Amino acid sequence: QVQVVESGGGSVQAGGSLRLSCTVSSDTGGYYYMGWFRQAPGKEREGVAAIDSDATTSYADSVKGRFTISRDNAKNTLYLQMNSLKPEDTAMYYCAADQVQWLLWPGYNYWGQGTQVTVSS
């Protein structure tokens, strides 16, 4: 069984920062590729950031230069540092994990419940 748990969402004003965390726990262990997605009301889920096993990162164009994804492999924990937040970043943010690499494509098998990020103008 694989569990994905996010934390760190909240409400901030435009220009502010938030840091999301995501921990993956598995009965069988092993390496999990992980990524962050978000979904705003009435919109499709979109890939925000992902990190490869060699620490190569991928970002959506809309967050490049503002968001930073990182990972602590020893803790199986993924982070998303979000700076210079904009109202259009408001969404439910999801962490995803899989033992297959998907990068920003939402093909991951395991998803967290999501954490809400709200940015006010």
Side-chain angles (χ1 to χ4, degrees), residues 34-54:
M34 300 172 74
W36 288 102
F37 291 77
R38 66 185 181 187
Q39 188 166 19
K43 295 189 176 181
E44 293 187 355
R45 189 169 296 190
E46 65 168 342
V48 174
I51 187 165
D52 202 346
S53 55
D54 63 358

Side-chain angles (χ1 to χ4, degrees), residues 90-110:
T90 295
M92 185 71 78
Y93 282 71
Y94 297 91
C95 178
D98 203 331
Q99 291 188 303
V100 174
Q101 180 177 303
W102 295 99
L103 295 179
L104 296 180
W105 183 256
Y108 294 79
N109 267 317
Y110 307 104

Side-chain angles (χ1 to χ4, degrees), residues 7-89:
S7 62
S11 297
V12 294
Q13 290 190 328
S17 299
L18 283 173
R19 188 192 196 206
L20 306 183
S21 299
C22 170
T23 300
V24 174
S25 57
S26 167
D27 292 345
T28 57
Y31 183 86
Y32 284 83
Y33 296 92
M34 300 172 74
W36 288 102
F37 291 77
R38 66 185 181 187
Q39 188 166 19
K43 295 189 176 181
E44 293 187 355
R45 189 169 296 190
E46 65 168 342
V48 174
I51 187 165
D52 202 346
S53 55
D54 63 358
T56 301
T57 56
S58 302
Y59 294 96
D61 288 342
S62 58
V63 306
K64 282 180 181 176
R66 300 188 297 121
F67 290 11
T68 302
I69 189 172
S70 61
R71 173 177 186 146
D72 184 334
N73 288 325
K75 298 179 180 179
N76 245 3
T77 300
L78 186 72
Y79 303 98
L80 185 67
Q81 179 66 44
M82 305 185 293
N83 298 329
S84 302
L85 282 161
K86 304 175 180 180
E88 50 263 44
D89 293 319

